[in-house]
Amino acid sequence: MHALKRFFARDHVHHEGVRPFQVWGLRLFYLLMLVFVVPEAWGVLLRHQGPWDPLHAVAFCVWATYPALAVFGLFRPLRWLPLMLFVLGYKILWLAFVAWPLWRAGTLAGSAAAPMVPAFAPLLPLALVVPWGYVVRKYVGLPRRRAGLAGAG
């Protein structure tokens, strides 16, 4: 029971106050990207013949690059957290600007976007393992003033 408690408690010694379940959850998502996205995206790039539509080329190049970088996230999950923020960002935007309007209009099923929807299913679990307090402290928060410099100036 004690080990289970530690798994959900903040770890200030090893993970800058991030809970171990979040660190391992991030590692799981990095691994899933490597296993599922890398082969698909690189396969499309390597098998493609003829000239590319520039927008499709950009999309597949991005889809080939960011999950390949996930290998680093397996070893340093917090350092590579911006990669997960990128994934969350583009998936939220796609759902908001592509899937949601189609769904509201009743035309998502059978559309060209429909086969992509399952790739966005893990969005909520991913958002749950992102250590949002850490994100705010590390990437959004203002630098802390040092006590010795408070009166200087």
Side-chain angles (χ1 to χ4, degrees):
M1 186 66 168
H2 185 65
L4 187 62
K5 251 184 172 175
R6 275 197 327 253
F7 192 63
F8 290 96
R10 294 187 184 281
D11 186 346
H12 294 282
V13 175
H14 299 104
H15 303 296
E16 300 180 55
V18 174
R19 292 172 173 88
F21 91 89
Q22 291 173 303
V23 172
W24 284 101
L26 289 170
R27 284 187 172 125
L28 173 63
F29 277 100
Y30 292 126
L31 179 64
L32 291 172
M33 284 193 295
L34 283 167
V35 170
F36 292 106
V37 183
V38 167
E40 179 70 24
W42 278 96
V44 169
L45 288 174
L46 295 173
R47 288 188 306 267
H48 182 79
Q49 295 180 0
W52 277 95
D53 169 70
L55 282 175
H56 284 95
V58 167
F60 279 103
C61 288
V62 169
W63 286 332
T65 302
Y66 85 80
L69 292 171
V71 71
F72 299 115
L74 290 172
F75 302 103
R76 305 293 297 262
L78 294 176
R79 179 157 296 183
W80 286 87
L81 190 54
L83 189 62
M84 286 302 176
L85 299 177
F86 169 79
V87 171
L88 279 169
Y90 95 77
K91 288 183 182 234
I92 288 169
L93 289 173
W94 189 87
L95 287 170
F97 290 103
V98 178
W100 175 252
L102 290 171
W103 181 78
R104 277 193 18 217
T107 57
L108 179 60
S111 72
M116 294 183 68
V117 172
F120 293 86
L123 189 61
L124 182 59
L126 174 56
L128 292 175
V129 298
V130 168
W132 292 106
Y134 177 86
V135 169
V136 169
R137 285 191 314 273
K138 197 74 166 179
Y139 302 110
V140 180
L142 299 173
R144 295 183 183 170
R145 290 174 37 154
R146 287 193 254 164
L149 298 176

